[in-house]
Amino acid sequence: MATTEIARPAASAAVPQIAAHDVRPERTGWTSWVTTTDHKKIGIMYLVLTFVFFIMGGVEALLIRLQLSQADNTLLTPQKYNELFTLHGTTMIFLFVVPVMAGFGNYLLPLMIGARDMAFPKLNALSFWLLAAGGVVFYASIFFSPPECGWTCYTPLAESSYLPSGGVDAWIYLIHLTGLSSLIGAINFYATIANMRAPGMGWGRLPLFVWAILVYAILLILALPVIAGAVTLLLTDRHFGTHFFDPTSGGSPLLWQHLFWFFGHPEVYIMVLPGFGIISEVIPVFARKPIFGYKAVAASTVVIAFLGLLVWAHHMFSTPSPTVVLVFFMMSSFLIAVPTGVKIFNWIGTLWRGTIEFTTPLLYCVGFIGTFLIGGITGIFVAIFPIDWQLTDTYFVVAHFHYVIVGGAVFAVFAGVHYWFPKITGRMMSEPLGKLSFWLVLIGFHVTFFVQHAIGLDGMPRRVYEYPDVGHLELYNLISTIGSFILALGVGVIVINVVRSLKRGAVAGPDPWKANTLEWFTQSPPPVNNFDTIPRIRSVEPMKDIRREVARQADRLAALQPAATVASMGPETQGTV
Amino acid sequence: MTIIPPALRPPRPFPTTRRRLALALAAVTVVSLAAAGPAFANFWTPESGGSPNADRIHSLYVIVLVVAGVVFFGVEGALLYALFRFRARKGAVAAQIRGNTRLEIGWTIGAAVILVVLATVTFIKLPGIRNPDDSGPGGLQTAGAPILTAQVDNRQPPNGKSLRIAVNGQQYIWRYTYPDGDSNTLNNPFSYTEMVVPTDTTVTLDIRAQDVAHSWWVPKLGGKFDAVPGYTNHTWFKIPAKFAGATFAKGTVFTGQCAELCGRNHANMIARVRAVTPAQFEQWIAQRKSDVAQADDTAAAGRKKLDAQLNGQ
């Protein structure tokens, strides 16, 4: 585990060193977190807060599955059920998957490009606190009346004549606050990547995770203003007498659907592209091979983002729309499968002829590829609009998008947590617990969601609080519920592993995985200023170059002065010269 | 004897016996999955059987499923093979390959070709799904009679004749209005929740909503069509003659339900379609008409009585 490097010989200053000094004494205690503008502390707060929301969204999901475990169940009232799936969807999308990627981005992006912080540290802190405010406003509604219109809040149902309570308004403010948070964060990411890269790090040497965060930022900047406008129109409809979405006064409910999905589909790529980025970082490290087709992987990220802006109405195939519209959105959705397929082929190409080390992060990456592939394939079914007429708004679609979002984002997040935990905390996570969590999550996920394809094909629509005991519906739903608890157990093991490893994990050292990117060129956890010296970047794998250089110099020294000065140091003392 | 270090050995080609085994395993899986299909009806495919358009969606789905199955087994197989074959072992050295442009172009084109094939199949199948068929010979035979209307503002069968029923979604019930041949739609026969239709007759639906958005869906009769306030959506179905019963009560009932979240009771917004013979249908329509007329008369009489009482005071 410990990296073996060479001590600095007194005479030679040319040997690359992991050296960093604190500039000022760090603040301690809780005020240091509240007042911080350090991207690492903000990143950690993002990760912790979003995981709290993830657990809350997960509990809501378990309640939903409990209600559906039996036909004609009366555990929850229809109102409570509608509130729960609205909370679940909104929480997972706006308070977990999108901001957790911002959390990874915040923590890692400056480290990966050799910067000392983000471009705008104070704006960065503002992003986090806006997110926290959005979550608080939204969850405050559970003490009054939570929204019950689903995470899509379709009009006219979301208009005040049908849902007069404040729940929808809480949802609107959540969209505004988290949207503003993401927008500010996105501008910050873009400015940081554009201006603060290490010397020599051209666009062709940008780590693929940074490419993903760059495209994530651009998509957020393009898509968020649209939803911000749409929810503002909804707000004025609800409270200030406008009729944008009210058909009885010349408004259009379909306008809402178009605006929502014009944001909503790029949102899917906002969620999965950073996940793709994590996978593209982790696989080469544990296959001990460079990424296969760096340019193709980076380019496909850009192409997916571009096409992702042109497919929104495939969520609306059953609305009254002309055939030409249906055909256009079917074809654009088909097109997006090509760059996505290219990515999957390149990941498998990276594994091919490698020497694969089955660590927990790699297992989650592999689980990601296998799971996401199924989501991609069912995506072809729902892209063909005559078939979608049978599948849309059923459990088939529920299964499809969970395969995409859990397969494409959450598995990647878990890979990222296990991979970067040593960097963030300085300690390793337990591998046996990590592997246990992987198998529980993988099996739990597929037991929960695979059978949901069949539930949908059997004719069960989504968002129904009860169903009759016909066909195999009750059996399938029970299987799904059991799976959801296995999945929850797996997530529980991850939480236990994280908490336990904080104190008891093995000390990691700066570069426990022998990784490729620059964040491993500093202590774990990194000091406030990240790096004292920033190396010149000569390839897409700067750490590999540095290790090679160190080894070469060690060889040279060994040849000059046999044995005496070549010493192996404990990892914890490295870098604190 | 020279011993070549493992790192320098050329990669072993995929042994043919193992390839055969893998193919056999894939074939067995496909066959057993296909066999499991009938055992668990609708595990792998959407419901169908009540109408030609549902059947055509089903057959299009099956074609896509087969292609998807090949892609699934191919890619997952490659993934699992790579994981097994290239796991870290003593002496193994990772090949430092950075990419292969020909391979990249190849799999990009390969993926595109699969999608072109699927798009072509879809376009071939599309007209049969989207455009209504003509009614069969055993259908409602009142050609030229007012109950079958020739219209231009929705999709009609080639001969222009269909039974056109208006579907109206409202929280939380479906209402159906049947044509009666005149332009006044206020006195038309209507029913709630259960639609009654003649078999072997093309039925076209005009789907609307009066409050929030709903979605019309009876799985065996074809896909979903949203009922959005302010818009009219259209679909059609034609139930084969075999589904009608000897009596009205014995007609097959196809069930479905609202598929767009419409409020707290969304789960109970049920739709049923009862298939009856054209004769039974005409009889039922006449009955509904007289029921409506009778109810109107009763109401008129009651109103008159009430007026008289009020005026008398």
Side-chain angles (χ1 to χ4, degrees), chain A residues 78 82 148 162 252 288-290 293 296 318 320 323 334 342 345-346 352-354 356 366 370 377 389-390 392-394 457-458 463 465-466 476 541, chain B residues 40 42-43 47 68 76 81 83 86 88 94-96 98 104 107-108 115 130 155 211 217 219 222-224 226 229 231 233 259-260 263-264 266 268:
Chain A
N82 287 6
E148 42 185 302
Y162 298 102
S252 163
R288 302 293 167 209
K289 258 187 77 192
S318 59
T323 306
F334 270 13
V342 165
F345 295 143
N346 277 297
W352 205 264
R353 295 186 61 197
I356 303 164
V366 169
I377 288 175
W389 287 338
Q390 283 288 19
T392 185
D393 265 316
T394 70
L457 291 168
D458 249 1
R463 295 171 167 173
Y465 75 97
E466 64 173 11
Y476 294 167
E541 295 149 329
Chain B
F40 285 87
N42 300 320
F43 191 93
E47 296 193 56
E76 299 278 10
Y81 173 76
L83 291 176
F86 304 112
Q96 299 300 303
R98 292 189 175 269
E104 297 282 356
W107 58 43
T108 305
L115 292 167
R130 189 99 157 128
R155 255 166 232 281
D211 39 38
W217 189 35
K224 273 172 228 75
D226 289 357
Y231 295 82
N233 213 344
E260 181 66 66
R264 290 180 193 166
H266 168 52
N268 294 322

Coordinates of all heavy atoms in Angstrom, one line a residue, chain A residues 78 82 148 162 252 288-290 293 296 318 320 323 334 342 345-346 352-354 356 366 370 377 389-390 392-394 457-458 463 465-466 476 541, chain B residues 40 42-43 47 68 76 81 83 86 88 94-96 98 104 107-108 115 130 155 211 217 219 222-224 226 229 231 233 259-260 263-264 266 268:
Chain A
P78 N -53.5 7.9 -0.1 CA -53.1 8.3 -1.5 C -52.3 9.6 -1.4 O -51.3 9.8 -2.1 CB -54.4 8.5 -2.2 CG -55.4 7.7 -1.5 CD -54.9 7.6 0.0
N82 N -48.5 10.2 -2.7 CA -48.1 11.2 -3.7 C -47.0 12.1 -3.2 O -46.1 12.5 -3.9 CB -49.3 12.0 -4.2 CG -50.3 11.2 -5.0 OD1 -50.1 10.0 -5.2 ND2 -51.3 11.8 -5.6
E148 N -47.4 17.4 -4.0 CA -47.8 16.0 -4.4 C -48.1 15.9 -5.9 O -49.0 15.2 -6.3 CB -49.1 15.6 -3.6 CG -50.1 16.8 -3.5 CD -51.3 16.4 -2.6 OE1 -51.9 15.4 -2.9 OE2 -51.5 17.1 -1.6
Y162 N -55.8 23.3 -8.3 CA -55.8 21.9 -8.0 C -55.0 21.6 -6.8 O -55.3 20.7 -6.0 CB -55.4 21.1 -9.2 CG -56.3 21.3 -10.4 CD1 -56.0 22.1 -11.4 CD2 -57.6 20.7 -10.4 CE1 -56.9 22.3 -12.5 CE2 -58.5 20.9 -11.4 CZ -58.1 21.7 -12.5 OH -59.0 22.0 -13.5
S252 N -51.2 27.2 -22.1 CA -51.0 25.9 -22.6 C -50.2 25.0 -21.6 O -49.1 25.2 -21.2 CB -50.1 26.0 -23.9 OG -49.6 24.7 -24.2
R288 N -4.4 -0.7 -14.9 CA -3.0 -0.4 -15.1 C -2.7 -0.2 -16.5 O -1.7 -0.7 -17.1 CB -2.1 -1.5 -14.5 CG -2.3 -1.8 -13.1 CD -1.8 -0.7 -12.2 NE -2.2 -0.8 -10.8 CZ -2.4 0.2 -10.0 NH1 -2.3 1.5 -10.5 NH2 -2.8 0.1 -8.8
K289 N -3.6 0.5 -17.2 CA -3.5 0.8 -18.6 C -4.0 2.2 -18.9 O -4.8 2.7 -18.2 CB -4.4 -0.2 -19.4 CG -3.7 -1.3 -20.0 CD -4.7 -2.1 -20.9 CE -5.0 -1.3 -22.2 NZ -6.2 -1.9 -22.9
P290 N -3.4 2.9 -19.9 CA -4.0 4.2 -20.2 C -5.4 4.0 -20.7 O -5.8 3.0 -21.2 CB -3.1 4.7 -21.3 CG -2.0 3.8 -21.4 CD -2.4 2.5 -20.8
G293 N -8.5 5.3 -26.1 CA -9.2 6.3 -26.9 C -9.5 7.6 -26.1 O -10.7 7.9 -26.0
A296 N -11.6 10.0 -28.1 CA -12.9 9.6 -28.4 C -13.8 9.7 -27.1 O -15.0 10.1 -27.2 CB -12.9 8.1 -28.8
S318 N -46.6 10.6 -25.9 CA -48.0 10.3 -25.9 C -48.8 11.6 -25.9 O -50.1 11.5 -25.8 CB -48.3 9.4 -24.7 OG -47.9 10.1 -23.5
P320 N -50.5 15.1 -27.5 CA -51.0 15.4 -28.9 C -49.9 16.1 -29.7 O -49.8 17.3 -29.5 CB -52.2 16.2 -28.7 CG -52.4 16.4 -27.3 CD -51.3 15.8 -26.5
T323 N -46.8 13.9 -36.2 CA -45.9 12.8 -36.4 C -44.4 13.3 -36.6 O -43.5 12.7 -36.2 CB -46.3 12.0 -37.6 OG1 -47.7 11.7 -37.4 CG2 -45.5 10.8 -37.8
F334 N -32.0 8.3 -30.9 CA -31.2 7.2 -31.5 C -29.8 7.7 -31.6 O -28.8 7.0 -31.2 CB -31.7 6.9 -32.9 CG -32.8 5.8 -32.9 CD1 -33.4 5.4 -31.8 CD2 -33.1 5.2 -34.1 CE1 -34.3 4.4 -31.8 CE2 -34.1 4.2 -34.1 CZ -34.7 3.8 -33.0
V342 N -20.0 4.4 -27.8 CA -18.6 4.5 -27.9 C -17.9 4.6 -26.6 O -16.8 4.0 -26.4 CB -18.3 5.8 -28.8 CG1 -16.8 6.2 -28.6 CG2 -18.7 5.6 -30.2
F345 N -17.7 1.0 -25.2 CA -16.7 0.2 -25.9 C -15.3 0.7 -25.4 O -14.4 -0.2 -25.2 CB -16.8 0.4 -27.4 CG -18.1 -0.1 -27.9 CD1 -18.8 0.5 -29.0 CD2 -18.7 -1.3 -27.4 CE1 -20.0 0.0 -29.5 CE2 -19.9 -1.8 -27.9 CZ -20.5 -1.2 -28.9
N346 N -15.1 2.0 -25.2 CA -13.8 2.4 -24.8 C -13.4 2.0 -23.4 O -12.2 1.7 -23.1 CB -13.7 3.9 -24.9 CG -13.3 4.4 -26.4 OD1 -12.3 4.0 -26.9 ND2 -14.3 5.0 -27.0
W352 N -9.4 -4.3 -21.5 CA -8.9 -5.3 -22.4 C -7.4 -5.3 -22.4 O -6.7 -4.3 -22.6 CB -9.4 -5.1 -23.8 CG -9.4 -6.3 -24.7 CD1 -8.5 -6.7 -25.5 CD2 -10.5 -7.3 -24.7 NE1 -8.8 -7.9 -26.1 CE2 -10.1 -8.2 -25.7 CE3 -11.7 -7.4 -24.1 CZ2 -10.9 -9.3 -26.0 CZ3 -12.5 -8.5 -24.4 CH2 -12.1 -9.4 -25.3
R353 N -6.8 -6.5 -22.1 CA -5.3 -6.7 -22.0 C -4.7 -5.9 -20.9 O -3.5 -5.6 -20.9 CB -4.7 -6.4 -23.4 CG -5.1 -7.4 -24.4 CD -4.4 -7.3 -25.7 NE -3.0 -7.6 -25.5 CZ -2.0 -7.2 -26.4 NH1 -2.4 -6.6 -27.5 NH2 -0.8 -7.5 -26.2
G354 N -5.5 -5.4 -19.9 CA -4.9 -4.8 -18.7 C -4.5 -5.9 -17.7 O -4.6 -7.1 -18.0
I356 N -6.1 -6.4 -14.3 CA -7.2 -5.7 -13.6 C -7.1 -6.1 -12.1 O -7.1 -7.3 -11.7 CB -8.6 -6.1 -14.1 CG1 -8.6 -5.8 -15.6 CG2 -9.7 -5.5 -13.4 CD1 -9.7 -6.5 -16.4
V366 N -17.2 -1.5 -12.8 CA -17.7 -2.6 -13.6 C -19.2 -2.8 -13.4 O -20.0 -3.0 -14.4 CB -17.0 -3.9 -13.2 CG1 -17.6 -5.1 -13.8 CG2 -15.5 -3.8 -13.6
G370 N -22.0 -2.6 -16.5 CA -23.0 -3.7 -16.8 C -24.5 -3.2 -16.5 O -25.4 -3.6 -17.3
I377 N -29.9 0.2 -23.3 CA -30.7 -0.7 -24.2 C -32.2 -0.4 -24.0 O -32.9 -0.3 -25.0 CB -30.3 -2.1 -24.0 CG1 -28.9 -2.4 -24.5 CG2 -31.3 -3.0 -24.7 CD1 -28.4 -3.8 -24.2
W389 N -45.4 4.3 -26.7 CA -46.9 4.5 -26.4 C -47.3 3.4 -25.4 O -48.2 3.6 -24.6 CB -47.7 4.4 -27.6 CG -47.6 5.6 -28.5 CD1 -47.2 6.9 -28.1 CD2 -47.9 5.8 -29.9 NE1 -47.2 7.8 -29.1 CE2 -47.6 7.1 -30.3 CE3 -48.3 4.9 -30.9 CZ2 -47.8 7.6 -31.6 CZ3 -48.4 5.3 -32.2 CH2 -48.2 6.6 -32.5
Q390 N -46.7 2.2 -25.5 CA -47.1 1.2 -24.5 C -46.3 1.3 -23.2 O -46.8 1.0 -22.1 CB -46.8 -0.2 -25.1 CG -47.9 -0.7 -26.1 CD -49.2 -1.1 -25.4 OE1 -49.5 -0.7 -24.3 NE2 -50.0 -1.9 -26.1
T392 N -44.5 4.2 -21.9 CA -44.3 5.5 -21.1 C -45.3 5.5 -19.9 O -46.3 4.9 -20.0 CB -44.5 6.7 -22.0 OG1 -44.3 7.9 -21.3 CG2 -46.0 6.8 -22.5
D393 N -44.8 6.2 -18.9 CA -45.6 6.3 -17.7 C -46.0 5.0 -17.0 O -46.9 4.9 -16.3 CB -46.9 7.1 -17.9 CG -46.7 8.6 -17.6 OD1 -46.1 8.9 -16.5 OD2 -47.1 9.5 -18.4
T394 N -45.2 3.9 -17.3 CA -45.4 2.7 -16.6 C -44.1 2.4 -15.8 O -43.2 3.1 -15.9 CB -45.6 1.5 -17.5 OG1 -44.4 1.2 -18.2 CG2 -46.7 1.8 -18.6
L457 N -44.7 -3.8 -18.2 CA -45.2 -4.5 -19.3 C -46.6 -5.2 -19.0 O -47.4 -5.4 -19.8 CB -44.2 -5.6 -19.8 CG -42.9 -5.0 -20.5 CD1 -41.9 -6.1 -20.6 CD2 -43.3 -4.3 -21.8
D458 N -46.7 -5.5 -17.7 CA -48.0 -6.1 -17.2 C -49.1 -5.1 -17.1 O -50.2 -5.4 -16.7 CB -47.8 -6.8 -15.9 CG -47.9 -8.3 -16.0 OD1 -48.1 -8.8 -17.1 OD2 -47.8 -9.0 -15.0
R463 N -46.7 5.9 -10.3 CA -47.3 6.9 -9.5 C -48.7 6.5 -9.0 O -49.6 7.3 -8.9 CB -47.4 8.3 -10.2 CG -46.0 8.8 -10.4 CD -46.0 10.1 -11.3 NE -44.7 10.8 -11.2 CZ -44.4 11.8 -11.9 NH1 -45.3 12.3 -12.8 NH2 -43.2 12.4 -11.8
Y465 N -50.9 4.5 -6.0 CA -50.6 4.1 -4.6 C -51.1 2.7 -4.4 O -50.7 2.2 -3.3 CB -51.2 5.1 -3.7 CG -52.7 5.0 -3.5 CD1 -53.3 4.3 -2.5 CD2 -53.6 5.6 -4.4 CE1 -54.7 4.1 -2.4 CE2 -55.0 5.5 -4.3 CZ -55.5 4.8 -3.3 OH -56.9 4.6 -3.2
E466 N -51.9 2.2 -5.2 CA -52.3 0.8 -5.0 C -52.6 0.2 -6.4 O -52.7 0.9 -7.4 CB -53.6 0.7 -4.2 CG -54.8 1.4 -4.8 CD -56.0 1.1 -4.0 OE1 -55.9 0.7 -2.9 OE2 -57.1 1.4 -4.5
Y476 N -44.3 -9.8 -8.4 CA -43.3 -9.0 -8.9 C -43.0 -7.8 -8.0 O -41.8 -7.5 -7.7 CB -43.6 -8.4 -10.3 CG -43.7 -9.4 -11.4 CD1 -44.3 -9.1 -12.6 CD2 -43.3 -10.7 -11.3 CE1 -44.4 -10.0 -13.7 CE2 -43.4 -11.6 -12.3 CZ -43.9 -11.3 -13.5 OH -44.0 -12.2 -14.5
E541 N -1.3 11.6 -18.0 CA -1.1 10.9 -16.7 C 0.1 11.5 -16.0 O 1.1 10.8 -15.9 CB -0.9 9.4 -17.0 CG -2.1 8.7 -17.6 CD -1.7 7.6 -18.5 OE1 -0.7 7.7 -19.2 OE2 -2.5 6.7 -18.6
Chain B
F40 N -44.5 -16.9 -18.1 CA -44.9 -15.7 -17.4 C -45.3 -14.7 -18.4 O -44.5 -14.0 -19.0 CB -43.7 -15.2 -16.6 CG -43.3 -15.9 -15.4 CD1 -42.5 -17.1 -15.4 CD2 -43.9 -15.5 -14.1 CE1 -42.3 -17.8 -14.3 CE2 -43.6 -16.3 -13.0 CZ -42.8 -17.4 -13.1
N42 N -46.3 -11.8 -20.5 CA -46.0 -10.4 -20.5 C -44.8 -10.1 -19.6 O -44.6 -9.0 -19.1 CB -47.1 -9.5 -20.0 CG -48.3 -9.7 -20.9 OD1 -48.1 -9.7 -22.1 ND2 -49.5 -9.8 -20.4
F43 N -43.9 -11.1 -19.3 CA -42.7 -10.7 -18.6 C -41.8 -9.9 -19.5 O -41.1 -9.0 -19.1 CB -42.0 -12.0 -18.1 CG -40.9 -11.7 -17.1 CD1 -41.1 -11.6 -15.7 CD2 -39.6 -11.3 -17.5 CE1 -40.2 -11.3 -14.8 CE2 -38.6 -11.0 -16.6 CZ -38.9 -11.0 -15.3
E47 N -48.5 -6.0 -23.5 CA -49.7 -6.7 -23.7 C -50.2 -6.4 -25.1 O -49.9 -5.3 -25.7 CB -50.7 -6.3 -22.7 CG -50.3 -6.7 -21.3 CD -51.5 -6.5 -20.3 OE1 -52.5 -7.1 -20.5 OE2 -51.3 -5.8 -19.3
A68 N -31.8 -6.1 -29.2 CA -31.3 -5.7 -27.9 C -30.6 -6.8 -27.2 O -29.6 -6.7 -26.6 CB -32.4 -5.1 -27.1
E76 N -22.1 -7.4 -22.6 CA -21.9 -7.9 -21.3 C -20.9 -9.1 -21.4 O -20.1 -9.3 -20.5 CB -23.2 -8.4 -20.6 CG -24.2 -7.3 -20.5 CD -24.0 -6.4 -19.2 OE1 -23.0 -6.5 -18.6 OE2 -24.9 -5.6 -18.9
Y81 N -15.8 -11.3 -20.1 CA -14.6 -12.0 -20.6 C -13.3 -11.2 -20.3 O -12.4 -11.8 -19.8 CB -14.7 -12.2 -22.1 CG -13.4 -12.8 -22.7 CD1 -13.1 -14.1 -22.6 CD2 -12.5 -11.9 -23.4 CE1 -12.0 -14.6 -23.1 CE2 -11.4 -12.5 -23.9 CZ -11.1 -13.8 -23.8 OH -9.9 -14.3 -24.3
L83 N -12.9 -9.1 -17.9 CA -12.7 -9.1 -16.4 C -12.0 -10.5 -16.0 O -11.1 -10.5 -15.1 CB -14.0 -9.0 -15.6 CG -14.6 -7.6 -15.7 CD1 -16.0 -7.6 -15.0 CD2 -13.7 -6.5 -15.1
F86 N -8.4 -10.9 -18.1 CA -7.3 -9.9 -17.9 C -7.2 -9.5 -16.4 O -6.8 -8.4 -16.1 CB -7.5 -8.7 -18.8 CG -7.6 -9.1 -20.3 CD1 -8.7 -9.0 -21.0 CD2 -6.4 -9.6 -20.9 CE1 -8.8 -9.3 -22.3 CE2 -6.5 -10.0 -22.2 CZ -7.7 -9.9 -22.9
A88 N -5.5 -9.3 -12.8 CA -4.1 -9.2 -12.4 C -3.6 -10.6 -12.0 O -4.2 -11.2 -11.1 CB -3.9 -8.2 -11.3
A94 N 0.3 -5.2 -18.1 CA -0.7 -4.5 -18.9 C -0.2 -4.0 -20.2 O 0.9 -3.4 -20.2 CB -1.3 -3.4 -18.1
A95 N -0.9 -4.2 -21.3 CA -0.5 -3.7 -22.6 C -0.7 -2.2 -22.6 O -1.8 -1.8 -22.3 CB -1.2 -4.4 -23.7
Q96 N 0.3 -1.4 -22.9 CA 0.1 0.0 -22.8 C -0.4 0.5 -24.2 O 0.3 1.2 -24.9 CB 1.4 0.7 -22.4 CG 1.9 0.3 -21.0 CD 1.0 0.6 -19.9 OE1 0.6 1.7 -19.7 NE2 0.5 -0.4 -19.2
R98 N -3.0 2.9 -26.2 CA -3.7 4.2 -26.0 C -5.0 4.3 -26.9 O -5.7 5.3 -26.8 CB -2.8 5.4 -26.2 CG -1.8 5.4 -25.1 CD -0.9 6.6 -25.1 NE 0.0 6.5 -24.0 CZ -0.3 7.0 -22.8 NH1 -1.5 7.6 -22.6 NH2 0.5 6.9 -21.8
E104 N -12.2 2.5 -33.3 CA -13.1 3.5 -32.9 C -14.2 3.8 -34.0 O -15.4 3.9 -33.7 CB -12.4 4.9 -32.5 CG -11.5 4.8 -31.4 CD -12.1 4.9 -30.0 OE1 -13.4 5.0 -30.0 OE2 -11.4 4.7 -29.0
W107 N -16.6 0.7 -34.4 CA -17.7 0.5 -33.5 C -18.7 1.7 -33.5 O -19.9 1.5 -33.2 CB -17.3 0.0 -32.1 CG -16.4 0.9 -31.3 CD1 -16.4 2.2 -31.1 CD2 -15.3 0.4 -30.4 NE1 -15.4 2.6 -30.2 CE2 -14.8 1.5 -29.8 CE3 -14.8 -0.9 -30.1 CZ2 -13.7 1.4 -28.9 CZ3 -13.8 -1.0 -29.3 CH2 -13.2 0.1 -28.6
T108 N -18.2 2.8 -33.9 CA -19.1 4.0 -34.1 C -20.1 3.6 -35.3 O -21.3 3.8 -35.1 CB -18.4 5.3 -34.4 OG1 -17.4 5.5 -33.4 CG2 -19.3 6.4 -34.5
L115 N -28.8 1.1 -35.4 CA -29.9 2.1 -35.2 C -30.6 2.4 -36.5 O -31.8 2.6 -36.5 CB -29.3 3.4 -34.5 CG -28.8 3.1 -33.1 CD1 -28.0 4.3 -32.6 CD2 -30.0 2.9 -32.2
R130 N -50.2 3.7 -36.6 CA -50.7 5.0 -36.5 C -52.0 5.2 -37.2 O -53.0 5.8 -36.7 CB -49.7 6.0 -37.1 CG -50.0 7.5 -36.8 CD -49.1 8.0 -35.6 NE -49.0 9.4 -35.7 CZ -49.3 10.2 -34.6 NH1 -49.8 9.7 -33.5 NH2 -49.0 11.5 -34.7
R155 N -57.3 11.1 -37.9 CA -56.9 10.0 -38.7 C -58.0 9.0 -38.9 O -58.6 8.5 -38.0 CB -55.7 9.2 -38.1 CG -54.4 9.5 -38.7 CD -53.4 9.1 -37.7 NE -52.4 10.1 -37.5 CZ -51.5 10.5 -38.4 NH1 -51.3 9.8 -39.5 NH2 -50.7 11.5 -38.1
D211 N -60.0 18.9 -16.8 CA -59.5 19.6 -15.6 C -57.9 19.6 -15.7 O -57.3 20.5 -16.1 CB -60.0 19.0 -14.3 CG -60.2 17.5 -14.4 OD1 -59.3 16.8 -15.0 OD2 -61.2 17.0 -13.8
W217 N -55.4 4.7 -21.6 CA -54.5 3.5 -21.8 C -55.3 2.3 -21.5 O -55.7 2.1 -20.3 CB -53.2 3.6 -21.0 CG -52.3 2.5 -21.4 CD1 -52.1 1.9 -22.6 CD2 -51.4 1.7 -20.5 NE1 -51.1 1.0 -22.6 CE2 -50.7 0.8 -21.3 CE3 -51.1 1.8 -19.1 CZ2 -49.7 0.0 -20.8 CZ3 -50.2 1.0 -18.6 CH2 -49.5 0.0 -19.4
P219 N -54.1 -1.4 -22.2 CA -52.9 -2.0 -22.8 C -53.2 -2.9 -24.0 O -52.4 -2.9 -25.0 CB -52.3 -2.8 -21.7 CG -52.8 -2.1 -20.4 CD -54.1 -1.5 -20.8
G222 N -53.7 -1.1 -27.4 CA -52.7 -0.2 -28.0 C -52.2 0.7 -27.0 O -52.4 0.5 -25.8
G223 N -51.5 1.7 -27.5 CA -50.7 2.6 -26.6 C -51.5 3.6 -25.9 O -52.7 3.7 -25.9
K224 N -50.7 4.5 -25.2 CA -51.2 5.6 -24.3 C -51.4 6.8 -25.2 O -50.6 7.1 -26.0 CB -50.3 5.9 -23.2 CG -50.4 5.1 -22.0 CD -49.3 5.4 -21.1 CE -48.7 4.1 -20.6 NZ -47.9 3.4 -21.6
D226 N -52.2 10.9 -24.3 CA -52.5 11.8 -23.2 C -53.8 12.6 -23.5 O -54.0 13.1 -24.6 CB -51.3 12.8 -23.0 CG -50.1 12.1 -22.4 OD1 -50.3 10.9 -22.1 OD2 -49.1 12.7 -22.2
P229 N -55.8 19.1 -21.3 CA -56.8 20.2 -21.4 C -56.4 21.2 -22.5 O -55.3 21.6 -22.6 CB -56.8 20.9 -20.1 CG -56.2 19.9 -19.1 CD -55.2 19.1 -19.9
Y231 N -56.4 20.4 -25.7 CA -56.0 19.7 -26.9 C -56.9 18.5 -27.1 O -57.6 18.0 -26.2 CB -54.5 19.2 -26.7 CG -53.5 20.3 -26.6 CD1 -53.3 20.9 -25.4 CD2 -52.8 20.7 -27.7 CE1 -52.4 21.9 -25.3 CE2 -51.8 21.7 -27.6 CZ -51.6 22.3 -26.4 OH -50.7 23.3 -26.3
N233 N -56.5 14.6 -28.6 CA -55.6 13.6 -29.0 C -56.4 12.5 -29.7 O -57.6 12.3 -29.4 CB -54.8 13.0 -27.8 CG -53.4 12.6 -28.1 OD1 -53.1 12.5 -29.3 ND2 -52.6 12.4 -27.1
A259 N -53.0 6.9 -17.0 CA -51.6 6.7 -16.9 C -50.8 8.0 -16.7 O -49.6 8.0 -16.9 CB -51.0 6.0 -18.2
E260 N -51.5 9.1 -16.4 CA -50.8 10.3 -16.1 C -51.2 10.8 -14.8 O -52.5 10.9 -14.6 CB -51.1 11.4 -17.2 CG -50.4 12.7 -17.1 CD -48.9 12.6 -17.2 OE1 -48.4 12.3 -18.3 OE2 -48.2 12.8 -16.2
G263 N -53.8 13.4 -9.7 CA -54.2 13.8 -8.3 C -54.3 12.5 -7.4 O -53.7 11.5 -7.7
R264 N -54.9 12.7 -6.3 CA -54.8 11.7 -5.2 C -55.4 10.4 -5.6 O -55.0 9.3 -5.2 CB -55.4 12.2 -3.9 CG -54.6 13.3 -3.3 CD -55.2 13.9 -2.1 NE -54.4 15.1 -1.7 CZ -54.8 16.0 -0.8 NH1 -56.0 15.8 -0.2 NH2 -54.1 17.1 -0.6
H266 N -55.6 9.1 -8.6 CA -55.1 8.7 -9.9 C -55.2 7.1 -10.1 O -55.6 6.6 -11.1 CB -53.7 9.2 -10.0 CG -52.9 8.6 -11.2 ND1 -53.4 8.6 -12.5 CD2 -51.7 8.1 -11.2 CE1 -52.5 8.1 -13.3 NE2 -51.4 7.7 -12.5
N268 N -57.2 5.1 -9.1 CA -58.6 4.5 -9.2 C -59.3 5.0 -10.4 O -60.5 4.8 -10.5 CB -59.4 4.7 -7.9 CG -58.7 3.9 -6.8 OD1 -58.2 2.8 -7.0 ND2 -58.7 4.5 -5.6

